[in-house]
Amino acid sequence: MNVENLERMLIPKGEVSVIGCGRLGVRVIFDLLEVHRGGVKKVYVFDNAKIEENDIIHRKLGGNVGEYKVDFIKRFFKDRVESYKVNINKDNLNLIRGDIAIICIAGGDTIPTTKAIIEYCKSIGIKTIGTNGVFGIDEKVKVCDAKYAKGPAKFLNLSEEGHIVVGTEKFIKDFEPITPYTLDEIAKRMVIECLRILWKKYYSK
Protein backbone atom coordinates (compact mmCIF):
# COMPACT_ATOMS: atom_id res chain seq x y z
CA MET A 1 0.00 0.00 0.00
CA ASN A 2 1.44 3.38 -1.00
CA VAL A 3 1.79 6.43 1.22
CA GLU A 4 -1.18 8.23 -0.36
CA ASN A 5 -3.51 5.34 0.48
CA LEU A 6 -2.18 5.16 4.03
CA GLU A 7 -2.79 8.89 4.46
CA ARG A 8 -6.37 8.50 3.26
CA MET A 9 -6.92 5.85 5.93
CA LEU A 10 -5.65 8.14 8.70
CA ILE A 11 -8.58 10.53 8.64
CA PRO A 12 -10.02 11.94 11.90
CA LYS A 13 -12.48 9.56 13.54
CA GLY A 14 -14.51 9.62 16.71
CA GLU A 15 -16.17 12.30 18.79
CA VAL A 16 -15.23 13.71 22.18
CA SER A 17 -17.15 15.81 24.71
CA VAL A 18 -14.98 18.16 26.76
CA ILE A 19 -16.85 19.27 29.86
CA GLY A 20 -15.39 22.54 31.08
CA CYS A 21 -13.39 25.03 29.02
CA GLY A 22 -11.30 26.63 31.73
CA ARG A 23 -7.51 26.62 32.07
CA LEU A 24 -7.30 22.84 31.69
CA GLY A 25 -10.19 22.29 29.30
CA VAL A 26 -8.96 24.82 26.76
CA ARG A 27 -5.56 23.13 26.69
CA VAL A 28 -7.17 19.72 26.14
CA ILE A 29 -9.33 21.05 23.31
CA PHE A 30 -6.51 22.77 21.44
CA ASP A 31 -4.27 19.72 21.82
CA LEU A 32 -7.00 17.38 20.57
CA LEU A 33 -7.68 19.52 17.53
CA GLU A 34 -3.99 19.84 16.71
CA VAL A 35 -3.61 16.08 16.27
CA HIS A 36 -3.42 15.18 12.59
CA ARG A 37 -3.11 12.04 10.49
CA GLY A 38 -5.90 10.58 12.57
CA GLY A 39 -7.24 12.01 15.79
CA VAL A 40 -10.68 13.35 16.61
CA LYS A 41 -13.34 14.19 14.05
CA LYS A 42 -15.64 16.25 16.30
CA VAL A 43 -15.36 17.96 19.69
CA TYR A 44 -18.35 19.02 21.78
CA VAL A 45 -17.50 21.73 24.32
CA PHE A 46 -19.62 22.63 27.37
CA ASP A 47 -19.10 25.75 29.53
CA ASN A 48 -21.17 28.87 30.25
CA ALA A 49 -18.32 31.07 31.50
CA LYS A 50 -16.87 34.10 29.76
CA ILE A 51 -13.18 34.92 29.41
CA GLU A 52 -11.97 37.15 32.22
CA GLU A 53 -8.84 39.25 32.48
CA ASN A 54 -7.02 36.59 34.51
CA ASP A 55 -7.80 33.84 31.98
CA ILE A 56 -4.32 34.28 30.57
CA ILE A 57 -4.19 31.05 28.56
CA HIS A 58 -7.40 31.92 26.70
CA ARG A 59 -6.11 35.40 25.92
CA LYS A 60 -2.74 34.03 24.82
CA LEU A 61 -4.56 31.75 22.40
CA GLY A 62 -6.56 34.64 20.94
CA GLY A 63 -9.63 34.91 23.15
CA ASN A 64 -11.13 38.27 24.09
CA VAL A 65 -12.16 39.39 27.58
CA GLY A 66 -15.95 39.10 27.83
CA GLU A 67 -16.21 36.47 25.09
CA TYR A 68 -17.82 33.16 25.95
CA LYS A 69 -15.10 30.55 26.22
CA VAL A 70 -16.96 28.10 24.01
CA ASP A 71 -17.61 30.80 21.39
CA PHE A 72 -13.88 31.47 21.30
CA ILE A 73 -13.19 27.80 20.63
CA LYS A 74 -15.92 27.67 17.99
CA ARG A 75 -14.50 30.78 16.32
CA PHE A 76 -11.13 29.09 16.13
CA PHE A 77 -12.36 25.70 14.87
CA LYS A 78 -15.74 26.20 13.20
CA ASP A 79 -16.05 22.89 11.36
CA ARG A 80 -14.87 20.50 14.06
CA VAL A 81 -16.39 22.05 17.19
CA GLU A 82 -19.94 22.20 18.52
CA SER A 83 -20.17 24.67 21.41
CA TYR A 84 -22.74 24.77 24.20
CA LYS A 85 -23.00 27.72 26.59
CA VAL A 86 -24.11 25.51 29.46
CA ASN A 87 -22.52 23.88 32.46
CA ILE A 88 -23.20 20.16 32.60
CA ASN A 89 -25.15 19.13 35.69
CA LYS A 90 -27.45 16.33 36.79
CA ASP A 91 -30.35 17.83 34.80
CA ASN A 92 -28.72 18.00 31.36
CA LEU A 93 -26.46 14.96 31.17
CA ASN A 94 -28.25 13.96 27.97
CA LEU A 95 -26.28 16.68 26.14
CA ILE A 96 -23.07 14.64 26.47
CA ARG A 97 -22.25 12.64 23.35
CA GLY A 98 -19.49 10.92 21.45
CA ASP A 99 -17.05 8.14 22.21
CA ILE A 100 -15.30 9.80 25.16
CA ALA A 101 -16.09 12.49 27.73
CA ILE A 102 -13.15 14.39 29.20
CA ILE A 103 -14.18 16.05 32.47
CA CYS A 104 -12.33 19.32 33.17
CA ILE A 105 -14.68 21.02 35.61
CA ALA A 106 -13.21 22.97 38.53
CA GLY A 107 -14.18 25.14 41.47
CA GLY A 108 -16.15 24.11 44.55
CA ASP A 109 -17.28 20.55 45.21
CA THR A 110 -17.12 18.90 41.80
CA ILE A 111 -17.38 15.31 43.08
CA PRO A 112 -21.21 14.92 42.84
CA THR A 113 -21.35 16.33 39.30
CA THR A 114 -18.34 14.32 38.16
CA LYS A 115 -19.81 11.11 39.57
CA ALA A 116 -23.15 11.79 37.86
CA ILE A 117 -21.35 12.34 34.54
CA ILE A 118 -19.37 9.11 34.93
CA GLU A 119 -22.46 7.07 35.79
CA TYR A 120 -24.48 8.53 32.91
CA CYS A 121 -21.67 7.99 30.39
CA LYS A 122 -21.15 4.42 31.53
CA SER A 123 -24.86 3.71 31.06
CA ILE A 124 -24.70 4.68 27.37
CA GLY A 125 -21.21 3.40 26.54
CA ILE A 126 -19.16 6.60 26.64
CA LYS A 127 -15.64 6.27 28.09
CA THR A 128 -14.60 8.90 30.66
CA ILE A 129 -11.37 10.65 31.60
CA GLY A 130 -11.04 13.10 34.51
CA THR A 131 -8.64 14.75 36.92
CA ASN A 132 -7.02 13.57 40.13
CA GLY A 133 -5.51 16.73 41.60
CA VAL A 134 -3.95 19.65 39.74
CA PHE A 135 -1.95 21.23 42.56
CA GLY A 136 1.82 21.04 43.07
CA ILE A 137 4.94 22.99 42.18
CA ASP A 138 6.95 20.19 40.62
CA GLU A 139 4.87 17.04 40.89
CA LYS A 140 4.88 14.03 38.62
CA VAL A 141 1.58 13.66 36.78
CA LYS A 142 0.17 10.16 37.20
CA VAL A 143 -2.42 8.19 35.22
CA CYS A 144 -4.53 5.46 36.82
CA ASP A 145 -8.02 4.05 37.11
CA ALA A 146 -10.10 6.04 39.58
CA LYS A 147 -10.92 2.90 41.52
CA TYR A 148 -7.30 2.85 42.69
CA ALA A 149 -6.73 6.62 42.97
CA LYS A 150 -4.87 8.02 45.99
CA GLY A 151 -5.67 11.68 45.32
CA PRO A 152 -8.97 13.62 45.18
CA ALA A 153 -10.52 11.11 42.76
CA LYS A 154 -10.69 8.54 45.56
CA PHE A 155 -13.70 10.45 46.88
CA LEU A 156 -15.65 9.41 43.80
CA ASN A 157 -15.86 6.04 45.58
CA LEU A 158 -16.11 4.13 42.32
CA SER A 159 -16.52 0.40 42.88
CA GLU A 160 -15.72 -0.60 39.30
CA GLU A 161 -12.88 0.11 36.90
CA GLY A 162 -13.35 2.24 33.78
CA HIS A 163 -12.86 5.90 34.68
CA ILE A 164 -9.32 7.09 33.89
CA VAL A 165 -7.90 9.91 36.02
CA VAL A 166 -4.87 12.09 35.43
CA GLY A 167 -3.24 14.32 38.02
CA THR A 168 -0.73 15.06 40.75
CA GLU A 169 -2.77 13.49 43.58
CA LYS A 170 -2.43 16.82 45.43
CA PHE A 171 -5.32 18.53 47.26
CA ILE A 172 -6.09 22.23 47.71
CA LYS A 173 -5.33 21.69 51.40
CA ASP A 174 -1.70 21.00 50.43
CA PHE A 175 -1.38 24.75 49.85
CA GLU A 176 0.58 24.45 46.63
CA PRO A 177 -0.21 26.42 43.47
CA ILE A 178 -1.53 25.23 40.13
CA THR A 179 1.19 25.88 37.56
CA PRO A 180 0.78 26.13 33.80
CA TYR A 181 3.41 23.41 33.45
CA THR A 182 1.29 20.99 35.46
CA LEU A 183 -1.82 21.81 33.44
CA ASP A 184 0.14 21.34 30.21
CA GLU A 185 1.26 17.89 31.36
CA ILE A 186 -2.21 16.86 32.56
CA ALA A 187 -3.73 17.98 29.25
CA LYS A 188 -1.05 16.03 27.38
CA ARG A 189 -1.75 12.84 29.30
CA MET A 190 -5.53 13.24 28.93
CA VAL A 191 -5.19 13.60 25.17
CA ILE A 192 -2.87 10.59 24.97
CA GLU A 193 -5.37 8.45 26.90
CA CYS A 194 -8.17 9.73 24.68
CA LEU A 195 -6.25 8.87 21.52
CA ARG A 196 -5.46 5.40 22.83
CA ILE A 197 -9.17 4.70 23.28
CA LEU A 198 -10.00 6.03 19.80
CA TRP A 199 -7.11 4.16 18.18
CA LYS A 200 -8.28 0.90 19.72
CA LYS A 201 -11.84 1.49 18.54
CA TYR A 202 -11.23 2.82 15.02
CA TYR A 203 -7.73 1.99 13.82
CA SER A 204 -6.54 -1.27 15.37
CA LYS A 205 -8.58 -3.61 13.20
Side-chain angles (χ1 to χ4, degrees), residues 149-180:
K150 296 180 181 178
K154 69 183 180 182
F155 293 111
L156 290 166
N157 293 317
L158 298 179
S159 59
E160 297 181 0
E161 296 181 352
H163 176 58
I164 298 170
V165 290
V166 183
T168 62
E169 299 181 347
K170 289 276 188 174
F171 298 81
I172 191 170
K173 65 185 180 182
D174 291 315
F175 288 100
E176 294 186 28
I178 303 170
T179 72

Side-chain angles (χ1 to χ4, degrees), residues 31-195:
D31 288 354
L32 275 175
L33 293 168
E34 193 172 347
V35 175
H36 65 290
R37 292 289 184 258
V40 178
K41 181 178 181 180
K42 197 85 170 180
V43 179
Y44 304 98
V45 187
F46 302 89
D47 199 310
N48 75 350
K50 294 181 179 180
I51 297 172
E52 299 180 356
E53 188 173 355
N54 66 349
D55 288 317
I56 296 173
I57 183 63
H58 298 77
R59 295 173 63 195
K60 281 170 62 177
L61 293 170
N64 302 312
V65 173
E67 183 177 19
Y68 279 102
K69 292 177 180 179
V70 295
D71 284 349
F72 156 56
I73 298 294
K74 179 70 174 177
R75 172 165 60 84
F76 225 93
F77 300 100
K78 293 179 181 176
D79 296 333
R80 294 175 63 197
V81 170
E82 291 294 333
S83 60
Y84 298 83
K85 292 191 278 286
V86 297
N87 288 334
I88 293 295
N89 56 52
K90 295 178 182 179
D91 298 321
N92 59 11
L93 295 169
N94 61 297
L95 295 175
I96 302 170
R97 63 191 68 188
D99 302 287
I100 304 163
I102 303 179
I103 306 166
C104 298
I105 57 177
D109 183 8
T110 60
I111 292 293
T113 300
T114 299
K115 190 162 186 177
I117 292 168
I118 294 166
E119 290 173 350
Y120 172 78
C121 288
K122 183 177 179 180
S123 73
I124 61 172
I126 296 176
K127 302 291 187 181
T128 54
I129 301 170
T131 58
N132 187 28
V134 295
F135 295 89
I137 295 174
D138 189 22
E139 297 295 321
K140 180 180 178 182
V141 171
K142 307 172 186 72
V143 180
C144 71
D145 192 283
K147 182 179 177 182
Y148 311 108
K150 296 180 181 178
K154 69 183 180 182
F155 293 111
L156 290 166
N157 293 317
L158 298 179
S159 59
E160 297 181 0
E161 296 181 352
H163 176 58
I164 298 170
V165 290
V166 183
T168 62
E169 299 181 347
K170 289 276 188 174
F171 298 81
I172 191 170
K173 65 185 180 182
D174 291 315
F175 288 100
E176 294 186 28
I178 303 170
T179 72
Y181 320 111
T182 298
L183 293 178
D184 287 344
E185 184 64 20
I186 291 174
K188 168 187 167 182
R189 298 306 312 180
M190 284 181 151
V191 170
I192 288 170
E193 294 303 315
C194 178
L195 292 174

